[in-house]
Amino acid sequence: MGRATRGRDRTEEGASARRLIRGRFEGRRDGDGWVIPEGQDAAEDLHITQGRLGRALPGDSVEAEIAFRTRRGRLEGTVVRVLARSGKRVVGQFTAERTVAVWDEQWAREIVVPSGSSGNARPGDLVEVRVRPPAAPGRPLLGTVQSLFGGSEDPRAELRAVLARFDIREEFPPEALAQADSVPRSVGAGDLAGRQDLRGRPILTMDPADARDHDDAIEAARLPGGGYRIGVHIADVSHHVPPGSPLDREAERRGISVYFPERAVPMLPRALSSGICSLVPGEDRLTRSVTLSIAPDGRLREARCYRSVIRSAARLTYEEGARLLAGADRGVIPEAVRVMGRAAAVLSGARRDRGAVDLDLPEPAVTTDPNGNLLDARYAERNDAHRLVEEFMLLANQAVAERLRTAGAPALHRIHAAPDEVRIGRFEDLLTAFGERLRSPSEPLRPAHCARLLARIESRPEAPFLRRRLLRAMRKAEYSPRGEGHFALALPDYTHFTSPIRRYPDLVVHRALAAALREDPAADPEAASGPASETLAELAAASSAAERRAEAAERTLVKRRIARMLAGRLGEVFAAHIAEIGRFGLEITLDEIPARGAVPLSLLDAGFRFDRRDYALRHRATGRRYRIGGALEAQLVRVDRLRGDLEFAP
């Protein structure tokens, strides 16, 4: 079902391609949805209209039949049967009509709560409800309130509801806390055996101003004859968290730390994440180090991995680091930072030369009081210090992946598969409306094609839109027990090594590296702790799911907090740019506040129609156009407090 099939008659497609696929059903607020196929046999999503859902609910595993392909290329199908219920409870707002209006945009229908099943919830309360599968297609959904979080206007209740919705547990089991409390608060003389002593070197940390943990420290020095020696030193969490221990089991279950504006839900108790494993200045800390020698053109010449002890010379914020990079301050730390900056510039050039794709999108930066009330919301700025740290971490992760592959050590890899040809084909069709193309028709897609496109369109007003669409055409990066390459980074192998405080896969990689480096197992008691290869596939899937869950939880809370703030600014006019255009109208992004909203077609002058040829809304009588990337002023006319959606009028 490649690009050549699109535009065929729907009857022909239905006759030639009828088959069953299995996948996960994802709903939409208008009542229809998609089946996301499992496995590699059917990479294309299948659209399901409301009348073809059967008894499927969001998250269910289903079997669906492909019915036909529309003239615009979309596959349509019918749910044949539900294979497994998700069993997931949903979160929403209890209403005066004894229904629950679900937060999740996948749920189009309210849930009816029978008498005696409300758990004392009052109208306006945020609740968690267990849904009973419908007795027949189209029948009302019934549910029972399981948890009561508090009023919807209380930010603390909102956070509790988000934690429940994404199955994020705050409290640590008593046995994990007891183990954390037993960990020494400082490094002892007995901990230094077999470690290289790096104390006294100009090693420092560089993090956001509000960073809650510091698990990576860096240094750099100029090499005789050109090139640089770069040191990346990562907190040796594996020294304090033995495999199979209560702390390890809980870290594996959590998978990742989750960061909300008012507080974090850490993967490890704070005695470790903010204590003995945090590379605070002036304190001895156990680390796993990678020393990397790079050529003047940025190529990696040599990498050495070993255990070490450091004493960070300084803790810098990104803002402080950027100021030192741009200034002429004298002293050991300013000079060290400028050497790092020159090394990072070389690495950045090498990354561009190999065709790596930079698809980062602007991220929100929000500030709240301790109770979660929003104080400020803006777009986060990426400065030169941020990019410096990123280049060093990328290189360390690359070097560790190569070391593990050479040793044949079982480990978790970070993979990013090449885009599916159907999705990338649709993106290429879209590019024609903007006078661009991604590659020649006969060429296989390479990362450099994407990188060159992004460089060409960088100054165009449509650049943010096309960047998002390219990202949407890409597969998601994930964890795997096999090193299958990273498309966006244009690397044959890659892993995550640099954040073991907040990502469980990094802790697994640390143990795999210990196993790969053993020369005398008796001298390295951690060397026997490599991960069991038979569990890596399950661990990779669980870690990928935990990452997606954390990202969704963080996004959901920030979106709701911004909507809460803007609800008090109805009627105000905001500067914005057009981010999306379609038959629905416009989708815009505000220039000063990290928020998106819709301008429905009904709020525009009558006569506007969507013109697919140049991806614009065009007025039939006046010829006036709205185009992607165009600036406009928009008045906020509605805020959906339930889901955080915003509606504007031009």
Side-chain angles (χ1 to χ4, degrees):
M1 273 177 280
R3 299 174 59 201
T5 62
R6 285 183 293 147
R8 289 166 58 178
D9 180 79
R10 52 193 280 168
T11 305
E12 175 192 355
E13 178 70 23
S16 63
R18 295 182 73 88
R19 73 175 193 270
L20 297 177
I21 64 170
R22 295 187 173 196
R24 185 186 73 260
F25 176 69
E26 290 187 357
R28 299 202 315 181
R29 67 173 59 184
D30 58 6
D32 61 359
W34 298 85
V35 173
I36 313 302
E38 298 170 344
Q40 299 299 316
D41 60 328
E44 195 172 353
D45 299 343
L46 184 64
H47 182 250
I48 311 290
T49 59
Q50 192 167 4
R52 296 172 179 264
L53 295 182
R55 298 173 62 226
L57 296 176
D60 287 350
S61 177
V62 302
E63 190 172 58
E65 183 180 43
I66 296 175
F68 57 88
R69 187 185 293 275
T70 69
R71 292 188 181 278
R72 291 193 184 130
R74 189 167 72 182
L75 274 186
E76 298 283 346
T78 303
V79 172
V80 175
R81 63 192 177 111
V82 175
L83 302 174
R85 294 289 181 187
S86 67
K88 184 180 179 183
R89 301 172 181 181
V90 297
V91 167
Q93 187 169 323
F94 193 72
T95 72
E97 291 76 31
R98 303 191 64 81
T99 64
V100 173
V102 182
W103 273 6
D104 196 329
E105 294 183 356
Q106 291 193 43
W107 290 77
R109 301 155 65 187
E110 290 188 321
I111 299 165
V112 178
V113 179
S115 178
S117 300
S118 65
N120 297 320
R122 295 177 295 181
D125 281 347
L126 298 177
V127 298
E128 183 182 43
V129 60
R130 178 171 53 81
V131 183
R132 307 173 201 169
R139 295 290 297 274
L141 293 178
L142 303 180
T144 302
V145 172
Q146 300 290 305
S147 301
L148 179 62
F149 305 116
S152 58
E153 297 301 312
D154 183 353
R156 293 167 297 184
E158 191 174 52
L159 175 58
R160 289 192 291 268
V162 168
L163 293 174
R165 176 181 167 187
F166 294 100
D167 191 26
I168 297 169
R169 185 168 72 188
E170 275 198 287
E171 299 301 322
F172 284 89
E175 59 272 20
L177 289 176
Q179 182 185 348
D181 288 341
S182 70
V183 173
R185 297 296 186 260
S186 60
V187 173
D191 297 319
L192 305 184
R195 293 182 181 272
Q196 187 168 333
D197 191 345
L198 306 181
R199 293 172 291 185
R201 301 235 301 238
I203 296 170
L204 55 87
T205 63
M206 203 179 298
D207 293 290
D210 60 352
R212 284 134 171 156
D213 47 57
H214 308 275
D215 53 6
D216 56 85
I218 52 178
E219 63 174 327
R222 181 85 181 179
L223 289 174
Y228 293 88
R229 185 189 71 242
I230 294 169
V232 175
H233 314 283
I234 308 300
D236 191 358
V237 177
S238 63
H239 180 85
H240 304 287
V241 183
S245 65
L247 273 176
D248 182 57
R249 291 196 301 270
E250 181 63 13
E252 180 181 347
R253 196 201 71 79
R254 294 180 178 225
I256 194 170
S257 296
V258 190
Y259 297 95
F260 297 111
E262 61 265 45
R263 70 174 183 269
V265 180
M267 184 182 79
L268 296 168
R270 300 190 192 282
L272 277 76
S273 61
S274 299
I276 190 63
C277 293
S278 189
L279 307 182
V280 294
E283 298 285 343
D284 291 355
R285 289 293 184 260
L286 305 180
T287 46
R288 286 197 173 274
S289 296
V290 185
T291 297
L292 308 134
S293 298
I294 61 170
D297 63 359
R299 286 181 299 108
L300 181 61
R301 282 175 169 166
E302 182 185 14
R304 188 169 67 89
C305 305
Y306 54 95
R307 294 190 298 161
S308 56
V309 56
I310 71 165
R311 184 182 297 157
S312 174
R315 175 197 167 187
L316 300 181
T317 66
Y318 286 144
E319 291 74 21
E320 291 168 337
R323 181 180 59 79
L324 293 179
L325 285 169
D329 304 55
R330 295 183 178 276
V332 173
I333 298 302
E335 290 292 341
V337 170
R338 283 192 287 274
V339 172
M340 293 183 213
R342 290 191 285 271
V346 170
L347 291 175
S348 180
R351 185 151 61 108
R352 283 195 304 272
D353 290 345
R354 71 171 185 262
V357 187
D358 183 1
L359 280 170
D360 283 343
L361 298 176
E363 292 288 339
V366 300
T367 306
T368 68
D369 66 19
N371 292 325
N373 296 297
L374 190 64
L375 301 176
D376 182 45
R378 53 187 169 76
Y379 291 102
E381 295 182 6
R382 281 168 50 84
N383 59 35
D384 288 343
H386 192 145
R387 286 183 279 270
L388 182 163
V389 174
E390 182 180 77
E391 292 293 349
F392 282 20
M393 298 304 117
L394 288 173
L395 184 65
N397 286 336
Q398 173 191 347
V400 169
E402 291 177 358
R403 182 67 180 84
L404 293 173
R405 185 182 68 245
T406 301
L412 286 180
H413 300 260
R414 184 68 169 176
I415 66 169
H416 186 224
D420 168 63
E421 277 295 329
V422 172
R423 289 180 182 271
I424 209 69
R426 289 175 180 163
F427 175 70
E428 289 179 299
D429 288 346
L430 171 66
L431 281 177
T432 61
F434 299 91
E436 284 287 351
R437 71 176 186 179
L438 189 58
R439 55 179 168 169
S440 299
S442 60
E443 284 188 286
L445 182 67
R446 299 193 306 274
H449 291 129
C450 303
R452 287 197 291 264
L453 170 70
L454 294 175
R456 286 197 307 272
I457 66 173
E458 184 176 1
S459 61
R460 293 178 57 168
E462 309 92 0
F465 165 73
L466 293 175
R467 182 181 290 271
R468 281 193 303 272
R469 284 301 181 96
L470 176 58
L471 184 61
R472 197 179 299 174
M474 297 275 193
R475 301 182 194 268
K476 290 184 179 297
E478 59 185 1
Y479 295 104
S480 170
R482 295 171 298 279
E484 298 171 352
H486 198 292
F487 180 84
L489 293 176
L491 290 172
D493 202 358
Y494 191 68
T495 193
H496 274 170
F497 161 77
T498 53
S499 293
I501 284 179
R502 63 182 184 90
R503 290 190 305 229
Y504 192 73
D506 301 54
L507 180 54
V508 172
V509 165
H510 277 224
R511 291 170 180 157
L513 189 61
L517 294 176
R518 66 174 178 239
E519 281 128 22
D520 178 6
D524 184 0
E526 299 170 31
S529 303
S533 57
E534 64 272 11
T535 67
L536 282 176
E538 294 178 6
L539 197 53
S543 298
S544 298
E547 178 183 58
R548 292 191 296 269
R549 195 164 59 242
E551 290 174 351
E554 293 164 2
R555 260 195 325 268
T556 296
L557 191 67
V558 168
K559 179 182 176 182
R560 293 183 62 85
R561 293 280 162 80
I562 293 175
R564 180 193 303 279
M565 177 187 74
L566 290 177
R569 300 174 66 176
L570 284 172
E572 283 193 35
V573 174
F574 297 87
H577 279 76
I578 299 171
E580 297 272 357
I581 290 180
R583 287 176 171 79
F584 61 88
L586 311 175
E587 186 171 320
I588 63 173
T589 58
L590 304 188
D591 290 352
E592 302 297 331
I593 298 172
R596 294 168 71 93
V599 180
L601 197 61
S602 60
L603 296 183
L604 298 172
D605 295 338
F608 277 102
R609 295 292 182 271
F610 178 55
D611 189 341
R612 184 172 290 274
R613 291 170 301 176
D614 62 354
Y615 229 80
L617 278 183
R618 188 187 305 273
H619 197 282
R620 289 184 296 181
T622 66
R624 183 185 174 193
R625 290 191 311 168
Y626 287 106
R627 288 217 66 186
I628 292 291
L632 78 164
E633 290 189 327
Q635 184 181 38
L636 181 62
V637 296
R638 190 178 73 86
V639 176
D640 181 350
R641 297 288 292 273
L642 178 68
R643 289 181 169 138
D645 293 337
L646 309 174
E647 190 173 289
F648 294 85

